[in-house]
Amino acid sequence: LKEGKLLLLFDGLDEIPQDLEAKTLNEIRDFSDKFSRNKFVVSCRIAAYKGGLNNFTNIEIANFDRKQIESFIKKWFKEKSKENRDFKDISAECWKKLSSPDMHATMELAQSPLMLTLLCLVYNYQQDFPSNRSLLYKEAIDVQLKEWNASKRIHNIPIYKDMTLPFEELLLSHIAYNYYIKDEYFFNKIDLSQFISEFMSNNLNAPKYLDGTDILKAISIQQGILLERAKNIYSFSHLTFQEYFVAKYIDDYRLLDYLMKKHLCNSKWREIFLLLSG
């Protein structure tokens, strides 16, 4: 660090709680000034960036073009074929479908690497594409949860038998919403385990003998949606997934009027309003 031999990557400036934004920007500025011989990259969603890093060069990452999308699809399915010897390479079919004239809106989604990954995941599973972004998130998450459900049924352990797909989604939506309204994207293990235990005890459809800590351990190891980021610190694998489940919670519990009164002008809720419209 002192010799200027590091490239430091600070990802997700938009995931900093609002009351810590100014302090965080100050610390990044001070740190980069102190060790100015190194290279620094700070990333943030365009809509959430308010400036404040004047000693940095602002760069907007371009969307994938059609050639890059086609290349990505070929490589994604090639990797899948390595995992499964019986796998049929359907990358050409996927690209043909995606590049057809009636798929213009879906092609726009594919300009984002995350969205394109989800599109490949869904197409691999059902040989078709969803019609909008909300449905894409829903179907991609369903694929991940269904695969988890299918693989875990072989275990003769209670948690692997009684966590149904709708119940898993219900639990994840409660976790997502209850932390998001507190401006929290990272969750302490003790707090999260207690939250899950209370949710289980208050839900009539929940198997009462399942422990919150055991559920958290199982889903973080196998599910791929809620992960342990550092020791005893958890988060959704991508902020997008937390936002999807927040939108699902709001839709399920008919909280749109409350949301509009409370957060309509808050840029942090922008993605959730977009998801709700779908």
Side-chain angles (χ1 to χ4, degrees):
L1 190 63
K2 290 178 181 177
E3 293 175 4
K5 294 182 177 180
L6 287 180
L7 168 64
L8 294 103
L9 308 176
F10 297 95
D11 182 38
L13 187 62
D14 51 305
E15 297 178 34
I16 301 295
Q18 287 184 318
D19 58 339
L20 294 177
E21 280 181 4
K23 180 176 184 289
T24 303
L25 287 169
N26 284 334
E27 292 192 356
I28 291 173
R29 280 194 297 266
D30 292 345
F31 189 76
S32 59
D33 287 342
K34 182 177 179 181
F35 299 103
S36 59
R37 295 170 64 190
N38 299 277
K39 297 186 186 307
F40 299 84
V41 177
V42 182
S43 68
C44 181
R45 289 178 177 179
I46 297 169
Y49 184 57
K50 305 180 185 70
L53 291 173
N54 298 328
N55 52 337
F56 282 70
T57 301
N58 290 329
I59 296 172
E60 182 179 332
I61 297 177
N63 290 328
F64 275 171
D65 58 29
R66 289 175 69 92
K67 186 176 180 180
Q68 290 170 319
I69 292 170
E70 183 180 10
S71 175
F72 184 101
I73 289 172
K74 287 178 179 177
K75 290 174 181 177
W76 192 91
F77 282 101
K78 186 177 180 181
E79 286 301 311
K80 277 292 177 183
S81 67
K82 290 178 184 177
E83 297 172 16
N84 185 352
R85 292 178 183 176
D86 299 325
F87 182 84
K88 179 186 175 187
D89 185 359
I90 56 172
S91 62
E93 299 169 26
C94 179
W95 170 245
K96 183 179 179 181
K97 173 87 173 177
L98 184 60
S99 57
S100 62
D102 58 336
M103 286 283 120
H104 178 72
T106 308
M107 179 66 86
E108 286 189 355
L109 285 178
Q111 293 173 351
S112 156
L114 174 66
M115 300 298 152
L116 185 51
T117 303
L118 298 182
L119 284 167
C120 289
L121 182 70
V122 171
Y123 192 86
N124 179 37
Y125 197 81
Q126 60 192 35
Q127 314 294 285
D128 202 0
F129 294 117
S131 58
N132 69 38
R133 188 164 57 160
S134 290
L135 284 174
L136 172 59
Y137 293 158
K138 177 182 176 1
E139 292 179 18
I141 288 168
D142 282 351
V143 167
Q144 286 188 261
L145 293 180
K146 283 173 185 172
E147 288 182 349
W148 184 52
N149 267 270
S151 64
K152 73 187 183 182
R153 297 301 174 217
I154 62 174
H155 300 278
N156 189 25
I157 304 173
I159 188 172
Y160 294 105
K161 294 191 296 182
D162 294 320
M163 288 286 285
T164 63
L165 184 63
F167 188 77
E168 288 160 26
E169 291 183 332
L170 184 66
L171 172 60
L172 289 169
S173 70
H174 276 255
I175 293 171
Y177 179 80
N178 281 278
Y179 280 94
Y180 200 83
I181 58 173
K182 295 187 290 184
D183 211 14
E184 293 181 16
Y185 308 99
F186 298 93
F187 327 130
N188 177 277
K189 180 180 180 179
I190 295 174
D191 294 340
L192 186 54
S193 298
Q194 184 177 344
F195 179 88
I196 294 173
S197 294
E198 289 174 0
F199 173 81
M200 300 295 280
S201 64
N202 293 331
N203 193 294
L204 294 175
N205 297 319
K208 298 295 184 256
Y209 53 84
L210 294 182
D211 176 72
T213 304
D214 292 338
I215 293 171
L216 177 58
K217 181 180 178 182
I219 63 179
S220 64
I221 290 173
Q222 300 197 39
Q223 203 182 66
I225 295 175
L226 195 65
L227 301 176
E228 186 173 16
R229 294 294 192 179
K231 187 172 177 60
N232 298 328
I233 301 296
Y234 292 79
S235 76
F236 283 86
S237 57
H238 197 283
L239 178 58
T240 292
F241 292 144
Q242 183 173 2
E243 289 168 335
Y244 167 79
F245 280 113
V246 171
K248 176 176 168 32
Y249 183 97
I250 291 165
D251 188 52
D252 287 346
Y253 290 95
R254 302 293 183 263
L255 298 176
L256 184 56
D257 287 345
Y258 166 79
L259 185 69
M260 290 180 69
K261 291 173 184 174
K262 189 88 173 172
H263 300 297
L264 185 60
C265 298
N266 187 340
S267 61
K268 173 189 155 183
W269 290 81
R270 178 178 183 273
E271 295 296 319
I272 291 165
F273 276 109
L274 291 173
L275 285 166
L276 282 166
S277 70

